[in-house]
Amino acid sequence: MNTLSFFNPRFTSDLFDVIDRNFNDYGYGENGKSAMPRVDVSEKKDSYVLEMELPGYTENDVELDLKDRVLTISSKLKDAKKAEKEEKKEAAESVYLIKERRNTTFSRSFTMPEDIDQEKVTAAFKNGLLTVVIPRKAEAQTKRIMISVA
């Protein structure tokens, strides 16, 4: 049985996984700068397809890493001092009446099934939608061995 799951090295209990999934969506992490983007994962006959909505990001803002069947999707960390200078410059030029948008960072990891072909993974980014296609290896066929008479 092949399964795809969220990778969480800190806890192995299902209870903690449920808490992690539900409460990460509400708040922001450190300094209000972390949010978890939503992900859809589908299984096809020959591949797994992962789609993540990333409005406001470009392909240059996102990193994908696959190691030991753990796929990690994260935003590149921008230089905090540079971002702070930009915010101060903006504040000097204008005064916000409402400011709801934030510069956010994120990191999501998924433990992939054993039947993936790590060498053929592809990713595309279009209109704020990241699509990762993870091909499956062909199933090993049973080989019948003939017994010879000695």
Side-chain angles (χ1 to χ4, degrees), residues 5 8 16 22 38 61 70 96 100 113 116 124 139 148:
S5 61
N8 189 346
F16 288 110
N22 290 323
R38 303 258 184 206
D61 298 331
V70 176
Y96 285 101
E100 295 180 336
I116 66 168
E139 290 185 29
S148 61

Side-chain angles (χ1 to χ4, degrees), residues 1 6 11 31 45 51 55 72 75 80 84-85 91-92 100 110 120 132 135 150:
M1 179 174 150
F6 294 102
F11 304 111
N31 302 322
K45 182 179 179 182
E51 295 177 316
T72 301
S75 63
E84 189 175 308
K85 284 180 184 178
E100 295 180 336
F110 305 89
K120 296 182 181 177
V132 182

Side-chain angles (χ1 to χ4, degrees), residues 28-105:
Y28 293 93
E30 251 180 69
N31 302 322
K33 304 250 183 212
S34 177
M36 293 297 153
R38 303 258 184 206
V39 177
D40 293 333
V41 180
S42 59
E43 180 180 10
K44 296 183 178 183
K45 182 179 179 182
D46 60 348
S47 65
Y48 299 98
V49 178
L50 185 143
E51 295 177 316
M52 179 181 282
E53 290 181 348
L54 298 169
Y57 289 89
T58 67
E59 64 277 0
N60 297 324
D61 298 331
V62 181
E63 291 183 343
L64 278 81
D65 296 304
L66 181 60
K67 183 178 180 184
D68 298 329
R69 293 184 17 243
V70 176
L71 175 67
T72 301
I73 304 171
S74 59
S75 63
K76 291 182 182 177
L77 296 175
K78 296 180 181 177
D79 185 7
K81 289 182 181 180
K82 183 179 176 183
E84 189 175 308
K85 284 180 184 178
E86 288 176 7
E87 285 180 17
K88 285 182 181 178
K89 181 181 175 186
E90 288 176 10
E93 294 174 4
S94 64
V95 177
Y96 285 101
L97 301 176
I98 298 173
K99 186 170 180 177
E100 295 180 336
R101 296 182 305 154
R102 299 175 185 234
N103 293 334
T104 60
T105 61

Side-chain angles (χ1 to χ4, degrees), residues 119-149:
E119 303 303 318
K120 296 182 181 177
V121 175
T122 60
F125 196 93
K126 185 176 180 182
N127 296 330
L129 181 68
L130 173 67
T131 303
V132 182
V133 178
I134 304 119
R136 298 170 86 166
K137 290 180 185 175
E139 290 185 29
Q141 300 295 322
T142 304
K143 180 181 177 187
R144 184 163 305 257
I145 301 170
M146 301 303 292
I147 301 172
S148 61
V149 179

